[in-house]
Each structure stands twice: as C-alpha cells, then as structure tokens.
Amino acid sequence: MPAPLQQLRHPLLDQQNVELWVKREDLLHPALPGNKWRKLKYNLQEAKRQQKSTLLTFGGAYSNHIAAVAAAGEEFGFRTIGMIRGEEHLPLNPTLRFAISKGMELHYLSREVYRQKDAPDFLQQLSGQFQEPFILPEGGTNMLAVKGCTEIVTDIDMKYDYICCASGTGGTLAGIIAGLKGEKQVLGFPALKGGAFLRPEIEQLLQNYSGRHFDNWELITNYHFGGYAKVKPELLTFMQQFRERHQVTLEPVYTGKMMFGVFDLVAKGFFPEGARIIAVHTGGLQGNAGFRERLGLEV
Ligand SMILES: *Cc1c(COP(=O)(O)O)cnc(C)c1O
C-alpha cells in the first residue's frame, strides 16, 4: 500500500505561492512505521533467503532502528538481539521496554567496545557467540536498505519539484536520490551537528548502489538545533503548533527539525514560486514516549 500524500494548508505557503505535501511514511506499516520499515524490507527477505533465524543489530537506548528490528522479529519470526550502546539504566526507557516486549534480547556494550560495531573481527566474534545471526549495522543502512528506500519515491504518482527528508546515517536520502535517477531536487536535513560529513558518505552509498554520481541534491546543515537528540523550546513549540494545525505528530530528533527547516526555507524564499514540495515523514514516533518520560515534555 503506498503511503498517503497529505497537503498542508498554511498562510505562509499561500503567501510564497508554494505547495507543501507530506508523504506519510509514518502510516506505512502498522507494526513497523516509517523509513525503518523501508530499510528492513529487503534485509528481511535476504535473511530468510539465507535461512537465518536470528537478527542482530546495534543502536543507542532510544533508537528507532532497535525498536523496528524488535518489531520485525516478532512480525516475521526471527529471534532478535540488540547490542545497546552504553550501560543498562533501570527502569528501562520506553524504547527498550518495547524491544523486550517484542522478544528482543538486549546486550549492553561499553562505549569503547561499541565503537567496534563495524569492525570485521568484532562482527566475526559476535557471529560465533550468537549462532551466525544476520547482522544489520547501526541505523540499518546497507545496500538493501538503500534499495528499500528507493521505493519512497517510486511510490509517488504526483508531479513535484522538491523532496525533503531528515538524515541520520544518510541511507534513506541515498535511496531517495537513487530512486529519482537525477530527477527533481532532493534536500537532506541532517539531525547531527556538522552534517556536511554526510556528503561523502552518501556519495559512497550512491556509488556502491547505482554506480552513478548525482548533482540534484544538497544537505541543509543548519537545522540541527544543537546536535543529535538536542531539543530547543522553539522546536517543541513549532511541533506543537504543527500538530494542532495539521493533525500530524512529529518527533524532535528528525522530522521536527526537517519540517521546521522546510517552513523556514519557505519563509526565506528558498523555493521558487509555484514549486511543489514533498516532505517525507519518516516516522520515529516511538521515540516521543522517551522524551515525555525523560523531560516531561509534551511531544
Ligand atoms: C532513522 C531515522 C531517520 C534517518 O534515516 P537515515 O537513513 O539513517 O538517514 C530519519 N527519520 C527518522 C524518523 C528515523 O527514525
């Protein structure tokens, strides 16, 4: 089922004479919403093809990817193992409680050990320890994830000029760019500070995936709000107003920042008159429970 497109109505959009639509990937799959489902889809098929019974992956304690892998394990019959960065904190936060409720086994790695998460020797060791699992990298970004994310755009049957998406590892953005094959303009909004580092990583993903170089994309690096998972009052106010006006819930790590950035660019006249813009809602709403609990935030 294609994720629906929802048009946003706002005086600012009329004033600047642009159209803004949200691609509701957050509604894509009931158990596995958002881009993490896109990223997992072909990996799950490959794990089945290899007759793997276990998925093993890595993430922080609030990771949307950890939550998605746990849900996928339950849905598709895999044992799941989550290697979590840092020490165990009790009581567990909502993300890890969710993961456990879906049957995931959690193992905690010190920050030092966690840094080896991509090292072949370390992965070899984990393979032996956990009966040869199918290993997914942190954030789930690999070639099969990029392939899955191309379907975010092949899914759209409407004319448009720009597509905007939040970025963590850049896997989702790489899939969007690859899927568009040089058409449209793609804007990526890094959730991390100093997001320009993503440019060569996305170039590399594109090179590996499609063997091509594309020029129709750029990173908008100044809407990180202080860094990954950092929250500022103006961002929360924006998200709250956005929900009241459009009945769409965002989260502060990725989609809130991206949407704030899109509206700010509209206000600054970044987009030409008549432009039709699509902003991808990549989901991640499971993380809001953690923000509520930690900070007492109304998100
Ligand atoms: C993981 C995530 C992203 C970032 O995806 P990448 O492929 O790592 O760039 C964006 N939005 C949400 C809601 C996410 O959970």
Side-chain angles (χ1 to χ4, degrees):
M1 189 189 74
L5 282 160
Q6 173 180 346
Q7 186 171 11
L8 301 185
R9 304 281 176 190
H10 194 289
L12 180 67
L13 301 171
D14 298 337
Q15 202 182 308
Q16 300 290 341
N17 192 20
V18 297
E19 274 185 25
L20 178 57
W21 297 68
V22 183
K23 182 143 200 300
R24 299 292 305 273
E25 297 278 308
D26 57 316
L27 304 177
L28 194 61
H29 189 296
L32 282 155
N35 65 336
K36 297 304 184 283
W37 165 240
R38 299 283 190 190
K39 295 174 86 169
L40 282 173
K41 179 178 157 188
Y42 290 108
N43 278 293
L44 297 172
Q45 285 180 12
E46 178 61 16
K48 281 265 191 259
R49 197 190 64 77
Q50 292 181 19
Q51 299 185 314
K52 299 284 190 183
S53 58
T54 304
L55 308 173
L56 181 147
T57 195
F58 302 86
Y62 293 89
S63 163
N64 292 330
H65 170 67
I66 287 288
V69 171
E74 186 184 70
E75 184 93 357
F76 299 100
F78 293 97
R79 172 187 177 209
T80 55
I81 298 170
M83 309 304 286
I84 309 299
R85 183 183 62 236
E87 287 162 21
E88 183 179 34
H89 291 283
L90 296 172
L92 293 179
N93 73 41
T95 299
L96 297 183
R97 286 204 301 272
F98 173 83
I100 284 181
S101 79
K102 299 288 173 192
M104 182 177 259
E105 290 168 44
L106 303 181
H107 296 266
Y108 295 87
L109 300 177
S110 71
R111 277 158 205 275
E112 210 167 47
V113 174
Y114 190 89
R115 251 176 249 129
Q116 302 179 61
K117 64 186 161 43
D118 298 315
D121 286 358
F122 183 60
L123 297 179
Q124 195 62 44
Q125 182 196 319
L126 291 178
S127 270
Q129 193 179 337
F130 295 103
Q131 292 89 45
E132 310 289 320
F134 188 82
I135 299 182
L136 291 154
E138 180 186 58
T141 290
N142 58 19
M143 283 302 108
L144 293 172
V146 172
K147 178 179 176 184
C149 289
T150 63
E151 295 177 359
I152 295 174
V153 290
T154 53
D155 214 22
I156 303 174
D157 58 2
M158 180 179 84
K159 286 197 168 146
Y160 61 99
D161 306 294
Y162 291 85
I163 185 160
C164 305
C165 185
S167 244
T169 63
T172 305
L173 201 64
I176 289 173
I177 297 163
L180 287 172
K181 299 192 168 89
E183 287 179 27
K184 327 283 185 200
Q185 282 299 121
V186 184
L187 305 182
F189 293 76
L192 283 83
K193 200 170 174 170
F197 79 90
L198 273 180
R199 181 144 199 118
E201 298 193 2
I202 293 169
E203 297 268 14
Q204 191 64 55
L205 287 170
L206 288 167
Q207 188 59 42
N208 295 349
Y209 182 75
S210 55
R212 285 182 62 182
H213 169 83
F214 298 103
D215 288 317
N216 61 322
W217 64 282
E218 65 181 292
L219 294 172
I220 310 288
T221 56
N222 52 334
Y223 296 101
H224 56 73
F225 286 88
Y228 189 71
K230 294 273 187 345
V231 177
K232 296 250 164 85
E234 59 173 332
L235 176 61
L236 295 173
T237 304
F238 170 81
M239 286 167 51
Q240 217 159 40
Q241 288 170 351
F242 190 87
R243 184 168 58 178
E244 277 159 25
R245 184 181 272 275
H246 307 293
Q247 281 77 54
V248 177
T249 303
L250 304 171
E251 43 69 53
V253 183
Y254 296 104
T255 55
K257 292 176 180 177
M258 181 270 302
M259 201 64 84
F260 185 103
V262 170
F263 271 88
D264 199 49
L265 290 179
V266 169
K268 289 177 170 152
F270 176 92
F271 299 101
E273 268 200 50
R276 186 182 271 172
I277 307 152
I278 293 179
V280 181
H281 192 323
T282 39
L285 299 179
Q286 71 83 26
N288 280 352
F291 276 99
R292 276 194 293 271
E293 205 168 274
R294 254 188 316 169
L295 309 169
L297 291 178
E298 201 35 63
V299 289

